[in-house]
């Protein structure tokens, strides 16, 4: 914002001239046609209705006065200010400062008619008009004190009203001059300095004795309080200036409030600079004119903003208003601009908005923000569906990890709103962060539902890559929120843990769908005859689980462990549930193929990142039991199986022995000699395998 100083007019003349110059000064002061009021107001309309009646009577009184022995001259008064005041004048460039003490000269009143005095007021010759009104006032007071109106009280009432109406007319002129000061491109220095003189003369002529006129009494001789009227006029001027600032409707311009506040700031800054450079020098220091105008504008803006705050404002409009009050109003962009210093002070200004209005604005802002944040998060989800899932766009790989913009987008939205809200007030920033976290929790639930619905509708080639990408992104989201906002993410982590479990279950279900057809071929004739490749199962699992290599640790490795256990568990389940006896010729072939497939599966999953080497011996032990020719050595194989997997049950062992082709008596003997009940039924945390396998029921017929 630039403040262009307006060039000042010539320096104001002295408030009082010498006696020889007074007549010329009075005739020319305040006579600029540019500031003449277009409407003389109520007084001018009412006074004209009385002129035809009173003019002739006033002329008769004047003639009678000439015949009296000095009555008119004896009633002329001589008033001086009780003290002198200092008028400081500064040139526009601020280089020269002249200080001159001025003392008021006697006020020379003239016996003019009401019409003539009114004409002086209309011409803005206010000093001369005041002198004549004061003359008329003193005359009326003297005649009242002499009981001249004892027999004609109505005449006294009419003359008192004349005086009052004429004073009121000057009051209106003062208000018009002050209000018009900022309306015109240049400042009439002489007019304003003469206005100061007028106020001073009235105060000297009507000392404030504290005896205010009572109800029903005349106002003759009472103070007119024009300095107070001057202050009221400044307030009215400020109010009008604020009200005249352009303001478009919401229909005409979406950013109507932002534009309006910008214009308000621009126009009032120009007004304040004009006051500092051109108006201030026309008033004595005691008037504190800059402070008066600043306070007046402050009140006018406060009232205007209160009206604006009562409107039904949207989120962006509420933010604009809050930000303007908190960060612009007193800053260098407006009242604190260097060009306005040091005259414009903001330290002692009252609050622009009451605490109640301010709190209401902030509460409305947070309430409105709830819908806004929900909408932003909704847009993120919509773009994921339409631009990625439906178009089957493969996620990017960055630093060997599948990448999604989800975390960045969410943190950007939260960060921006918390930042702008915190710039208004710390408490508002905290409330905004709390709101964003609440909306984030709801968003993740909606996101999970949408992703599950999309992924389960049909087989999606990009499902696994997106599972990896989203789990990576949510991990980044948690760490980012903790780092950036120091926020408690305990609840968020619980929600994300549930989402991860949900994604993992869907992943394993899809893996099951792909693996089951191959698992069901185990121990079939084609499988035994090696018409199926030994790596067909491992190849299918590898193809599906390969994206997990691009998932951030430890989640990727954890899921690979689950896949590893799932494949081994399902493999064993298919083997022991067959309820068949492998004949002697096929046992060795079955044993070799099981060992071969177990090695291929284990190597493939270890290469992808699984660290579950403890699963490898399970299939090997079963394969060795099936292929062992010597029955005594079978007992050793069973012992090794039970030692490596203490969660195995008797029924599991019996099923394997039956598969080997052993009879009921032999199976029972081996079980008795080789199997020991585990101390912990589940075999300890993290090492369960057979506890998750349903053992087949062995039925022996006698």
């Amino acid at each position: 914002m630039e403040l262009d100083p307006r060039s000042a007019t010539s320096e104001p003349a002295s408030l009082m001239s010498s006696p020889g110059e007074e007549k010329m000064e009075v005739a020319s002061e305040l006579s600029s046609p540019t500031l003449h009021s277009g409407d003389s107001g109520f007084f001018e309309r009412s006074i004209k209705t009385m002129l035809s009646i009173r003019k002739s009577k006033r002329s008769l009184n004047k003639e009678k006065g000439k015949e009296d022995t000095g009555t008119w001259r004896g009633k002329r008064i001589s008033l001086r200010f009780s003290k002198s005041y200092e008028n400081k004048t500064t040139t526009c460039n601020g280089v020269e400062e002249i200080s001159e003490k001025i003392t008021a000269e006697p006020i020379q009143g003239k016996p003019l008619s009401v019409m003539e005095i009114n004409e002086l007021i209309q011409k803005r010759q206010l000093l001369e008009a005041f002198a004549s009104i004061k003359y008329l006032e003193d005359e009326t007071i003297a005649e009242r004190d002499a009981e001249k109106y004892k027999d004609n009280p109505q005449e006294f009432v009419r003359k008192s009203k004349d005086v009052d109406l004429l004073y009121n007319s000057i009051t209106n002129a003062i208000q018009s001059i002050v209000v018009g000061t900022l309306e015109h491109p240049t400042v009439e220095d002489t007019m304003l300095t003469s206005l100061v003189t007028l106020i001073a003369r009235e105060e000297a002529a009507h000392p404030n004795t504290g005896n205010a006129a009572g109800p029903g009494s005349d106002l003759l001789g009472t103070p007119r309080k024009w300095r107070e009227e001057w202050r009221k006029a400044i307030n009215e001027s400020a109010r009008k200036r604020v009200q005249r600032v352009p303001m478009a409707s919401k229909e005409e311009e979406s950013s109507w409030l932002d534009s309006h506040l910008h214009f308000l700031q621009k126009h009032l800054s120009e007004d304040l600079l004009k006051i500092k450079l051109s108006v201030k020098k026309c008033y004595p220091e005691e008037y504190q004119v800059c402070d008066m105008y600043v306070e007046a504008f402050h009140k006018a803006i406060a009232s205007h903003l209160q009206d604006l705050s009562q409107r039904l404002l949207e989120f962006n409009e509420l933010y604009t208003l809050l930000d303007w009050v908190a960060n612009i109003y007193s800053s260098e962009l407006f009242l604190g601009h260097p060009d306005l210093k040091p005259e414009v002070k903001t330290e002692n200004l009252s609050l622009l908005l009451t605490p109640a209005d301010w709190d209401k604005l902030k509460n409305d802002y947070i309430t409105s923000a709830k819908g806004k944040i929900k909408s932003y998060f909704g847009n993120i989800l919509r773009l994921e569906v339409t631009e990625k899932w439906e178009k089957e766009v493969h996620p990017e790989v960055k630093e060997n990890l599948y990448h999604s913009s989800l975390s960045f987008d969410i943190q950007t939205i939260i960060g921006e709103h918390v930042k702008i809200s915190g710039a208004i007030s710390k408490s508002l920033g905290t409330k905004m962060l709390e709101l964003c976290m609440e909306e984030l929790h709801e968003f993740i639930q909606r996101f999970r539902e949408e992703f599950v619905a999309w992924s389960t509708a049909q087989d999606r080639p990009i499902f696994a890559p997106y599972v990896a990408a989203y789990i990576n992104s949510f991990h980044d989201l948690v760490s980012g929120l903790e780092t950036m906002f120091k926020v408690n993410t305990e609840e968020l982590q619980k929600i994300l843990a549930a989402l991860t479990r949900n994604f993992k279950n869907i992943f394993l279900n899809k893996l099951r769908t792909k693996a089951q057809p191959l698992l069901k071929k185990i121990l079939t004739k084609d499988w035994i005859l090696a018409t199926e490749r030994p790596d067909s199962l491992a190849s299918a699992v590898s193809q599906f689980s390969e994206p997990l290599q691009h998932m951030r640790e430890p989640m990727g490795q954890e899921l690979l462990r689950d896949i590893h256990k799932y494949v081994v568990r399902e493999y064993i389940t298919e083997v022991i549930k067959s309820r068949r006896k492998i004949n002697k010729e096929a046992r060795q072939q079955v044993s070799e193929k099981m060992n071969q497939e177990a090695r291929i599966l284990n190597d493939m999953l270890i290469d992808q990142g699984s660290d579950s080497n403890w699963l490898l011996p399970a299939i090997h032990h079963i394969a060795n039991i099936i292929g062992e020719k010597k029955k005594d050595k079978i007992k050793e194989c069973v012992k090794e199986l039970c030692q490596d997997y203490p969660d195995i049950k008797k029924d599991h062992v019996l099923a394997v022995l039956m598969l080997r082709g052993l009879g009921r008596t032999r199976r029972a003997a081996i079980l008795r000699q080789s199997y020991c009940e585990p101390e912990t039924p589940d075999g300890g945390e993290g090492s369960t395998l057979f506890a998750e396998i349903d053992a087949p029921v062995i039925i022996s017929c006698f």
Side-chain angles (χ1 to χ4, degrees):
M1 175 186 69
E2 285 192 11
L3 301 178
D4 299 326
R6 300 181 181 276
S7 60
T9 57
S10 59
E11 294 187 7
S14 300
L15 300 183
M16 290 296 294
S17 304
S18 63
E21 298 172 344
E22 181 180 352
K23 185 174 181 180
M24 184 180 296
E25 178 188 347
V26 170
S28 63
E29 68 181 2
L30 304 175
S31 60
S32 172
T34 61
L35 289 181
H36 284 175
S37 173
D39 184 2
S40 54
F42 171 76
F43 168 74
E44 286 75 8
R45 292 192 296 271
S46 60
I47 197 71
K48 288 175 182 177
T49 63
M50 298 186 288
L51 291 179
S52 59
I53 299 173
R54 300 189 183 182
K55 187 172 182 181
S56 59
K57 188 171 183 178
R58 185 68 179 154
S59 298
L60 290 173
N61 289 340
K62 287 170 67 178
E63 292 298 323
K64 182 179 178 181
K66 290 178 182 178
E67 296 172 1
D68 292 341
T69 57
T71 304
W72 284 99
R73 290 189 181 275
K75 290 179 181 177
R76 289 186 180 179
I77 60 172
S78 177
L79 296 175
R80 295 181 181 271
F81 291 137
S82 58
K83 62 177 181 178
S84 63
Y85 63 92
E86 194 172 62
N87 179 36
K88 294 183 179 177
T89 304
T90 308
T91 58
C92 292
N93 58 16
V95 174
E96 182 182 355
E97 185 177 284
I98 303 172
S99 178
E100 181 181 2
K101 287 191 174 182
I102 301 171
T103 305
E105 293 295 327
I107 300 175
Q108 300 295 324
K110 295 181 180 180
L112 301 178
S113 68
V114 172
M115 174 67 83
E116 290 169 330
I117 297 173
N118 186 55
E119 288 175 356
L120 291 176
I121 295 172
Q122 295 305 304
K123 293 176 182 179
R124 293 294 191 260
Q125 296 176 9
L126 302 184
L127 290 176
E128 186 174 348
F130 170 70
S132 296
I133 298 170
K134 187 66 177 70
Y135 186 97
L136 178 60
E137 181 181 36
D138 289 345
E139 176 190 57
T140 306
I141 291 172
E143 290 173 347
R144 178 197 64 189
D145 294 344
E147 298 185 354
K148 180 177 178 179
Y149 303 109
K150 184 177 181 181
D151 297 327
N152 189 7
Q154 285 300 112
E155 177 64 17
F156 173 72
V157 171
R158 282 194 296 272
K159 290 187 70 174
S160 297
K161 181 176 274 189
D162 285 347
V163 172
D164 190 48
L165 289 173
L166 288 167
Y167 274 140
N168 288 342
S169 186
I170 290 187
T171 300
N172 293 337
I174 292 172
Q175 293 171 343
S176 177
I177 292 168
V178 174
V179 171
T181 298
L182 299 178
E183 302 290 337
H184 302 281
T186 57
V187 174
E188 293 288 342
D189 297 20
T190 305
M191 179 175 292
L192 293 182
T193 52
S194 298
L195 187 63
V196 173
T197 303
L198 174 67
I199 293 172
R201 288 183 177 177
E202 190 279 330
E203 290 174 347
H206 300 128
N208 189 1
T209 60
N211 297 324
S217 63
D218 63 78
L219 298 174
L220 296 175
T222 60
R224 294 292 161 169
K225 299 182 180 179
W226 283 343
R227 194 183 297 237
E228 183 61 32
E229 295 299 330
W230 170 79
R231 293 191 187 97
K232 291 180 182 178
I234 287 179
N235 288 328
E236 178 63 14
S237 173
R239 187 190 67 80
K240 287 184 176 180
R241 299 293 287 175
V242 169
Q243 291 298 326
R244 289 177 185 174
V245 173
M247 181 165 64
S249 67
K250 187 180 297 188
E251 292 72 22
E252 294 171 333
E253 185 180 356
S254 59
S255 57
W256 64 275
L257 184 56
D258 188 61
S259 298
H260 173 64
L261 294 176
H262 172 75
F263 282 127
L264 182 67
Q265 170 181 344
K266 178 179 180 293
H267 292 176
L268 300 192
S269 294
E270 292 171 354
D271 283 348
L272 289 171
L273 187 62
K274 182 178 182 181
I275 292 163
K276 172 186 173 179
L277 299 179
S278 302
V279 177
K280 176 178 177 286
K281 64 182 182 179
C282 301
Y283 289 90
E285 195 67 34
E286 65 185 80
Y287 272 70
Q288 298 182 328
V289 67
C290 285
D291 291 343
M292 286 290 177
Y293 270 105
V294 170
E295 182 65 26
F297 276 120
H298 181 72
K299 290 178 181 177
I301 294 171
S303 176
H304 183 56
L305 293 184
Q306 187 178 36
D307 292 341
L308 289 176
S309 69
Q310 302 306 313
R311 296 189 178 196
L312 194 60
L313 300 177
E314 297 177 356
F315 173 77
N316 291 335
E317 295 161 352
L318 289 164
Y319 167 73
T320 296
L321 190 54
L322 286 165
D323 180 62
W324 195 85
V325 172
N327 299 320
I328 294 178
Y329 181 66
S330 296
S331 74
E332 290 190 355
L333 296 172
F334 192 10
L335 294 187
H337 196 284
D339 289 351
L340 298 177
K341 292 180 177 179
E343 283 78 5
V344 175
K345 308 177 187 69
T346 61
E347 295 80 10
N348 298 323
L349 292 177
S350 60
L351 295 173
L352 261 182
L353 294 172
T354 65
D357 287 336
W358 181 246
D359 288 342
K360 180 181 181 300
L361 266 185
K362 292 195 294 183
N363 290 335
D364 290 346
Y365 172 75
I366 291 297
T367 301
S368 180
K370 183 177 178 66
K372 202 73 173 176
I373 299 299
K374 189 184 293 292
S375 173
Y376 286 145
F377 286 163
N379 288 338
I380 290 176
L381 179 55
R382 180 178 56 80
L383 290 174
E384 290 292 313
V385 173
T386 58
E387 299 300 318
K388 296 179 181 178
W389 304 350
E390 292 180 356
K391 295 181 179 180
E392 295 192 350
V393 177
H394 206 275
E396 298 179 61
V397 177
K398 292 184 179 180
E399 299 179 358
N400 201 38
L401 296 174
Y402 276 125
H403 173 75
S404 166
S405 63
L406 207 61
S407 171
F408 176 80
D409 294 342
I410 291 171
Q411 288 188 72
T412 299
I413 290 172
I414 295 176
E416 185 62 27
H417 284 79
V418 170
K419 179 182 177 182
I420 63 174
S421 303
I424 294 170
S425 76
K426 186 177 179 179
S427 63
L428 195 62
T430 301
K431 285 185 178 180
M432 179 59 74
L433 179 57
E434 292 171 353
L435 171 66
C436 288
M437 293 301 293
E438 290 173 5
E439 290 302 316
L440 176 58
H441 296 166
E442 292 185 13
F443 164 75
I444 292 173
Q445 301 287 7
R446 283 184 285 143
F447 178 86
R448 179 186 62 80
E449 293 169 2
E450 289 284 343
F451 187 72
V452 169
W454 169 79
S455 63
T456 55
Q458 65 184 72
D459 188 29
R460 310 280 186 178
I462 60 171
F463 165 75
Y466 269 110
V467 167
Y470 289 139
I471 289 178
N472 290 341
S473 190
F474 285 132
H475 176 274
D476 294 341
L477 177 62
V478 171
S479 59
L481 292 174
E482 288 175 343
T483 302
M484 187 181 303
F485 304 110
K486 312 299 180 187
V487 67
N488 184 346
T489 61
E490 184 178 349
E491 184 64 26
L492 176 61
Q493 291 188 61
K494 289 179 181 178
I495 294 173
L496 291 177
L499 176 139
T500 302
R501 286 193 300 272
N502 196 212
F503 283 6
K504 183 178 73 173
N505 291 336
I506 297 172
F507 189 96
L508 293 175
N509 285 336
K510 287 183 174 292
L511 176 61
R512 183 179 294 109
T513 301
K514 292 183 178 296
Q516 278 299 318
L518 295 171
L519 288 167
K520 288 184 179 300
K521 292 181 179 181
I522 297 173
L523 297 185
T524 63
K525 184 178 180 181
D526 289 340
W527 181 85
I528 294 173
L529 295 175
T531 56
E532 291 288 334
R533 291 178 53 187
D535 65 343
S536 59
L537 177 60
S539 178
V541 173
S542 173
Q543 184 179 3
F544 192 74
S545 61
E546 188 276 334
L548 301 184
Q549 297 179 73
H550 304 294
M551 185 184 290
R552 189 180 298 279
E553 301 298 348
M555 285 80 74
Q557 191 175 61
E558 289 175 358
L559 191 49
L560 279 168
R561 287 178 193 147
D562 292 334
I563 292 171
H564 198 159
K565 181 189 279 190
Y566 165 77
V567 174
V568 172
R569 184 183 69 232
E570 294 301 311
Y571 193 102
I572 294 172
T573 300
E574 288 297 327
V575 169
I576 67 175
K577 79 176 184 179
S578 62
R579 297 182 184 178
R580 71 181 69 186
K581 293 182 180 181
I582 302 175
N583 59 44
K584 185 176 181 181
E585 294 76 17
R587 288 172 193 160
Q588 195 61 37
Q589 191 175 356
V590 168
S591 176
E592 289 176 359
K593 186 158 188 178
M594 286 178 64
N595 278 320
Q596 185 182 18
E597 287 188 340
R599 280 194 302 271
I600 293 172
L601 277 170
N602 187 77
D603 292 346
M604 178 272 295
L605 289 166
I606 294 299
D607 288 344
Q608 286 188 349
S610 171
D611 59 356
S612 298
N613 280 303
W614 67 278
L615 292 168
L616 176 62
I619 299 175
H620 284 318
H621 288 319
I622 296 173
N624 291 339
I625 292 171
I626 293 172
E628 182 56 55
K629 297 178 180 179
K630 297 180 179 180
K631 294 181 179 179
D632 289 340
K633 287 189 177 180
I634 292 176
K635 289 187 287 185
E636 297 301 321
C637 293
V638 171
K639 277 186 179 182
E640 291 175 0
L641 176 61
C642 293
Q643 287 171 357
D644 287 345
Y645 302 95
D647 63 327
I648 194 168
K649 294 181 173 62
K650 290 180 181 180
D651 289 341
H652 294 126
V653 177
L654 288 173
V656 173
L657 292 175
M658 188 180 78
L659 185 65
R660 165 63 178 72
L662 297 175
R664 185 175 72 86
T665 304
R666 192 65 177 168
R667 293 197 305 265
I670 292 174
L671 187 66
R672 200 166 44 246
Q673 296 169 13
S674 306
Y675 180 78
C676 296
E677 290 286 347
E679 295 181 4
T680 54
D682 294 333
E685 184 179 356
S687 60
T688 61
L689 175 63
F690 285 91
E692 301 173 22
I693 299 173
D694 291 332
V697 178
I698 306 298
I699 301 175
S700 298
C701 298
F702 296 94

